[in-house]
Amino acid sequence: MRVLSAAFVLAVTAVAVNATTGVALFDGSDNVIEENRPGDQRLLGLHHVALKDGVNPDDFERFIIEEWNPVMNGRIPGVDLMIVKGERNAKDGEYMIVYDVQSKNVRDWYWPSSDQSTPANDLVWERCGEVCSEVGAKFDSMAEVTNWSDYVEVARD
């Protein structure tokens, strides 16, 4: 387990993202402090979402498009977030948050275990400030995550 001092995490000032090389987190002197190595297994976090009683699906989707997406897309370096809706078969009309994470290494940089966050993750949300708090509170008033699991890529070329 990695223990980081608050001063060290606050020194993180830049992030470079590249589909081939992954994520590199740099400190203030351009030293790489963590990186995603090519060939690491890609990871998807699938979080099932249920609308709360009385929430109109059209209102929820409008909120996602107009408020959630502009704030959350690109918020976490190395992690793409999207909300998807089932279109056919067993999950028709159900919602899910998909965390498309470049690797287990990147996931563990932010969340080393299911119930643990890191100072790096905390810093992402601290830098976002009130806008993230407002969008998060509105999401929580409309929906809740009912269950979730992380899935790692089984094979790579």
Side-chain angles (χ1 to χ4, degrees):
M1 180 183 306
R2 196 173 293 157
V3 178
L4 302 173
S5 72
F8 177 75
V9 173
L10 291 175
V12 175
T13 58
V15 177
V17 178
N18 178 295
T20 304
T21 60
V23 173
L25 301 172
F26 298 90
D27 67 15
S29 61
D30 292 332
N31 295 315
V32 174
I33 56 176
E34 181 70 19
E35 66 181 305
N36 174 37
R37 296 169 300 281
D40 282 350
Q41 293 172 298
R42 189 169 201 92
L43 180 139
L44 293 178
L46 304 179
H47 295 228
H48 297 269
V49 173
L51 297 184
K52 293 190 175 177
D53 288 339
V55 174
N56 180 306
D58 291 335
D59 293 339
F60 178 70
E61 291 177 27
R62 189 171 15 269
F63 160 71
I64 295 303
I65 292 165
E66 295 174 1
E67 298 178 52
W68 194 88
N69 284 340
V71 170
M72 303 308 278
N73 287 341
R75 177 64 49 204
I76 307 170
V79 180
D80 291 325
L81 291 174
M82 69 180 96
I83 294 189
V84 297
K85 179 181 174 182
E87 183 182 76
R88 288 188 182 170
N89 299 326
K91 302 297 182 185
D92 187 32
E94 293 184 18
Y95 297 96
M96 185 179 298
I97 303 173
V98 177
Y99 289 72
D100 184 358
V101 185
Q102 287 192 351
S103 72
K104 289 182 355 180
N105 189 39
V106 171
R107 187 254 338 249
D108 293 346
W109 172 255
Y110 297 111
W111 309 281
S113 67
S114 295
D115 60 351
Q116 183 181 17
S117 179
T118 63
N121 184 53
D122 297 341
L123 183 60
V124 167
W125 302 112
E126 179 183 308
R127 286 185 173 169
C128 184
E130 189 63 29
V131 68
C132 279
S133 295
E134 290 172 4
V135 166
K138 188 164 183 180
F139 179 92
D140 291 344
S141 74
M142 300 178 89
E144 64 184 335
V145 173
T146 58
N147 62 66
W148 63 273
S149 189
D150 288 345
Y151 294 84
V152 294
E153 187 173 22
V154 174
R156 289 190 77 109
D157 290 319

